[in-house]
Amino acid sequence: MVPAVATTLSVRAPRGLLLHLLTFAVVLTAWTLVSASDVVSPAYLAPSPLEVWDAFVRANSYHPIGGGVDRVVRGEEGYFLWEHLVVSLRRIGIGLGIAVVVGVPLGLAMGLFRSFGALLGPYVDFLRSIPPLAYIGFLVAWFGIYDTSKVWLLVLAAFPPITLATINGVRGVREDQLNAVRTLGASQRQVITHVLLPATLPDILSGLRVAVGFAWTTVVAAELVNGLPGIGGLAYLSGTQNKIALSIACILVIGFTAIALDAVLRISEKTLAPWRGKA
Amino acid sequence: MSEPHDRSVVLSGVEHRFRARDGEVHALDRIDLALEPGEFLTLAGPSGCGKTTLLRLLAGFMEPSSGEITVGGRPVRGPGPERGVVFQQPTLFPWLDVRANVALGPRLRGAGKAERAATADRYLDLVGLHDVGHLRPYELSGGMQQRAQIARVLAADPDIVLMDEPYGALDALTRERLQDELLTLWRETGKTILFITHSVEEAVFLGTRVLVMSPRPGRIVLDEPARFSSDEAQVPPEELRALPAFTETVARVRGAIQHVEPPPRRAG
Ligand SMILES: Nc1ncnc2c1ncn2[C@@H]1O[C@H](COP(=O)(O)OP(=O)(O)O)[C@@H](O)[C@H]1O
Ligand SMILES: [Mg+2]
C-alpha cells in the first residue's frame, strides 16, 4: 500500500510540472501565432512575446530613443520599469502600514467593547462597501494630485478589511483562554498582549491579505491620474501612446507582483501562525 | 502577590441560574461550604448536576445569582492568581510551545529567565513531559495536553487549585501516576485543592473530604471525611484500595450518588 502511494506521488509531481510547462508553451505559441497572423492589424497592436520581452528589457536599461534621434534615455519616462514598480509598492507599503496601525487597534477595541463595536460597525461596513476609486476625486481635491492623495486612497481601501478581520478574530477568542491567563496572574494589559493579540493574529493576517489584494488593484487604477512614476501609470500611458508591447510588459509585471505578494503573505501566515486550523 | 495567611474559601447561600433559550436552568441551589486551607476536597456527582458551575463561580469567571463567595474574607470579584484552574478541556496557548506555556505564570509575574527555566523544568518533569517541551500543544495527545495544563497551573503556584475532571481523559496508568504525584505535591506544598471527578474511587482515594452533589439543582448531599490520602502510614496505593475502610467509604459515596439518581421530588 505504502509503496503504491509513494509511486503515485513521485510520478504525480513531475507530471504536474510537465503539464504546467506544456500549457505554458501552448499559450505562448498561440500568442505568437496570433501576433504573426493578420487577425489584428495594424501589427503593433498585437506584439509577439519576444517583442514584449524586448520592451521589458528596454524599459529596464539605458537605450537610444530611436526615430533617428541620437540620444540615450533612462528606461521609460525617466525611470526604469523596476523603479516604477518600486514606487507603486512604496505607496502600497505606506498605505497598508497606516491601515494596520489604525485598523488593528480599532478592530481590537471594537471587538473587545461590544457597545463601541456596535456603534462604529455600520460606518466600517459602509466604508468597506464603497469601491475605493470612488474617493479619488474628492481626495485629489483635498490632498492634491501627488502621492498624498494616493496613499490616503490606499488607507481607505485597506483599513476596512483589516479592521473587520480583527473584530472577527477578537470575537472568536475562546473565553476560557482569557479566563486561563487571568488565573495565571495576567493583568488587563497582559491579557491583551499575551492572549488576545496572538489569538487574533491569524485573522489579522488574513485581513491583511485581503487588504493587499484590494490595495494593489486600487493603486494601479489610481495611477491613471498623474501616476508617474508608477507601474499602473506606465501601463496606462504606454497604452495610450500605442506602445502596446510595453503596456503588456507592465501588465505582466503587475500580475506577477500581485501573485508574489500573496505568496509572501501566505508564507508569513504559515510561519507566524502555524497553529491556524489546528487549535 | 497572593497573601499566604488566610486563604480559606467560604461559600454562603450560593445559588446559580443560567438564562437559557427555553427559560431558566437552575444549576445550583443554596450551597453553603467552607474550604479550609490545606484541604483536599473531592467533588463527585452525576453529570449535569452543576459541578463545573460551582468551580467557575469559585474561579470568578461568573457571579452567582445570589449568595456570596469569599477567599480569605474578601469577596470574589473575578479570577485571581491565588486560584489556579485546571479546565476540563485543556486551554493551552498554541502560539507558545509546551515549555513556554508551563512557564507562563512566572513570566507574567515578571520572574527572571533562570527562574522561569527552573520552574518549567521542574513541572515538566513532574508530569513527565520533559521530552516534548519544544512542541506546540496541538502536537500532543489529549492526555499529554491535560498534563501540560496541570504543570502550567502548578508552576504558577496558586494557593488554591480548582481542578475540573482533570484525569477524565487519561489512561489508567497515567491517571494513577498523576494521582500519586498530585498527592505528593499537595503534601509538600499544603495547597487547598478542589478536585472534581466522576470516579468515586478517585474521589475517596484523593480527598480529605468527599462531597457528593445532587442532580440539578445541585446541592451538597454528602460531606464525608476521608483520610486515605493524608495517612502518613505509607500504605502503597494498591493495598490501600483493598482496605475495608476504603471500600466502605466508596460504597457509602456510591450509595449517596445512586440515592440521588434519579432526581427525587423536592418536598417543600
Ligand atoms: N452557560 C450555560 N448556559 C446555560 N446552561 C448552562 C450553562 N452552563 C451549564 N449549564 C447547565 O447547567 C447545568 C450544570 O452544568 P455543569 O455545571 O456543567 O454540570 P457538571 O459539570 O456537573 O456536569 C447543566 O444542566 C447545564 O446544561
Ligand atoms: Mg463538568
Side-chain angles (χ1 to χ4, degrees):
Chain A
M1 208 62 238
V2 173
V5 171
T7 327
T8 40
L9 276 181
S10 64
V11 166
R12 194 177 293 154
R15 187 188 289 166
L17 191 66
L18 206 70
L19 267 174
H20 274 299
L21 287 175
L22 213 75
T23 315
F24 188 60
V26 168
V27 169
L28 274 189
T29 315
W31 177 3
T32 313
L33 286 178
V34 168
S35 71
S37 74
D38 293 333
V39 178
V40 185
S41 63
Y44 72 82
L45 280 182
S48 70
L50 218 62
E51 287 170 300
V52 170
W53 175 252
D54 281 344
F56 176 77
V57 172
R58 265 166 61 95
N60 278 302
S61 54
Y62 289 95
H63 57 87
I65 196 165
V69 184
D70 190 18
R71 232 179 75 211
V72 166
V73 294
R74 177 189 168 90
E76 297 289 343
E77 308 298 328
Y79 298 89
F80 293 132
L81 191 142
W82 65 264
E83 288 173 322
H84 287 283
L85 178 64
V86 166
V87 169
S88 297
L89 285 174
R90 191 175 146 269
R91 288 179 181 138
I92 288 208
I94 297 174
L96 279 176
I98 297 175
V100 166
V101 168
V102 175
V104 170
L106 183 68
L108 285 178
M110 287 175 69
L112 271 181
F113 310 109
R114 299 243 153 190
S115 46
F116 182 65
L119 204 65
L120 289 194
Y123 295 91
V124 178
D125 275 334
F126 187 77
L127 285 180
R128 185 195 52 169
S129 60
I130 298 172
L133 283 175
Y135 303 115
I136 190 85
F138 129 82
L139 287 175
V140 166
W142 268 37
F143 299 109
I145 56 170
Y146 298 105
D147 257 18
T148 316
S149 58
K150 292 189 182 63
V151 168
W152 270 106
L153 181 69
L154 292 177
V155 173
L156 283 171
F159 106 89
I162 292 174
T163 305
L164 291 171
T166 309
I167 295 173
N168 208 31
V170 172
R171 299 215 167 131
V173 177
R174 272 171 58 204
E175 205 184 330
D176 272 349
Q177 292 199 320
L178 302 175
N179 284 333
V181 81
R182 287 199 181 102
T183 63
L184 292 173
S187 65
Q188 202 51 39
R189 229 192 71 219
Q190 286 174 322
V191 172
I192 292 174
T193 55
H194 281 77
V195 174
L196 204 68
L197 263 180
T200 311
L201 184 69
D203 294 275
I204 295 176
L205 290 175
S206 323
L208 195 63
R209 257 177 82 192
V210 174
V212 168
F214 241 49
W216 189 233
T217 319
T218 307
V219 77
V220 166
E223 286 171 355
L224 297 189
V225 183
N226 198 50
L228 288 177
I231 191 77
L234 187 63
Y236 175 68
L237 187 81
S238 51
T240 59
Q241 293 174 349
N242 283 338
K243 296 181 194 161
I244 306 297
L246 176 60
S247 192
I248 290 177
C250 289
I251 290 167
L252 292 179
V253 166
I254 289 169
F256 287 131
T257 307
I259 290 172
L261 277 179
D262 198 59
V264 166
L265 281 170
R266 258 212 316 265
I267 290 167
S268 60
E269 234 177 342
K270 271 219 180 82
T271 44
L272 288 175
W275 66 88
R276 187 181 189 118
K278 290 177 192 155
Chain B
M1 299 301 99
S2 54
E3 288 139 60
H5 40 279
D6 184 11
R7 49 195 172 82
S8 51
V9 181
V10 179
L11 295 89
S12 27
V14 168
E15 258 192 82
H16 198 77
R17 291 163 201 275
F18 287 106
R19 232 168 290 151
R21 248 175 310 146
D22 45 354
E24 265 190 353
V25 178
H26 194 181
L28 289 178
D29 190 23
R30 274 174 286 119
I31 307 274
D32 289 294
L33 188 67
L35 284 70
E36 298 303 326
E39 262 188 324
F40 196 138
L41 270 92
T42 51
L43 173 61
S47 95
C49 71
K51 304 182 293 294
T52 298
T53 305
L54 183 69
L55 180 134
R56 296 179 73 85
L57 290 171
L58 282 170
F61 299 160
M62 49 191 195
E63 298 218 341
S65 310
S66 62
E68 193 176 47
I69 302 174
T70 59
V71 173
R74 282 202 308 253
V76 167
R77 290 274 171 269
E82 78 284 357
R83 280 161 290 136
V85 176
V86 175
F87 295 82
Q88 193 166 359
Q89 305 287 333
T91 52
L92 298 162
F93 300 127
W95 46 90
L96 301 175
D97 64 19
V98 171
R99 203 184 162 73
N101 265 285
V102 173
L104 188 56
R107 177 163 164 212
L108 290 172
R109 97 173 105 76
K113 227 176 178 162
E115 188 192 337
R116 265 149 48 190
T119 310
D121 282 336
R122 173 164 173 224
Y123 288 96
L124 282 172
D125 271 343
L126 180 74
V127 297
L129 289 182
H130 218 132
D131 298 340
V132 295
H134 62 286
L135 295 182
R136 296 289 175 105
Y138 51 84
E139 295 171 313
L140 303 188
S141 72
M144 289 160 104
Q145 289 182 26
Q146 189 55 286
R147 279 144 69 194
Q149 190 196 193
I150 292 169
R152 182 174 75 179
V153 170
L154 295 177
D157 197 23
D159 289 331
I160 301 153
V161 186
L162 308 168
M163 306 175 88
D164 196 354
E165 303 195 18
Y167 299 164
L170 300 182
D171 61 283
L173 272 178
T174 312
R175 188 180 179 122
E176 279 177 21
R177 202 172 66 74
L178 283 182
Q179 286 175 353
D180 290 339
E181 300 289 7
L182 186 61
L183 283 179
T184 309
L185 192 109
W186 167 69
R187 289 195 196 103
E188 280 174 7
T189 59
K191 292 182 189 302
T192 312
I193 297 180
L194 175 70
F195 188 104
I196 296 176
T197 175
H198 55 239
S199 156
V200 174
E201 298 233 343
E202 189 172 57
V204 174
F205 175 65
L206 290 175
T208 53
R209 229 172 115 190
V210 181
L211 306 174
V212 172
M213 225 179 192
S214 72
R216 226 173 48 213
R219 276 169 299 127
I220 308 287
V221 291
L222 182 86
D223 186 342
E224 171 107 5
R227 286 271 160 271
F228 307 100
S229 54
S230 52
D231 254 353
E232 294 306 313
Q234 298 279 323
V235 187
E238 318 79 66
E239 286 176 37
L240 198 153
R241 287 190 172 91
L243 288 180
F246 185 83
T247 48
E248 270 165 34
T249 312
V250 167
R252 217 163 27 250
V253 172
R254 189 160 282 145
I257 294 179
Q258 274 157 3
H259 180 71
V260 294
E261 216 173 34
R265 297 196 146 242
R266 287 189 60 191

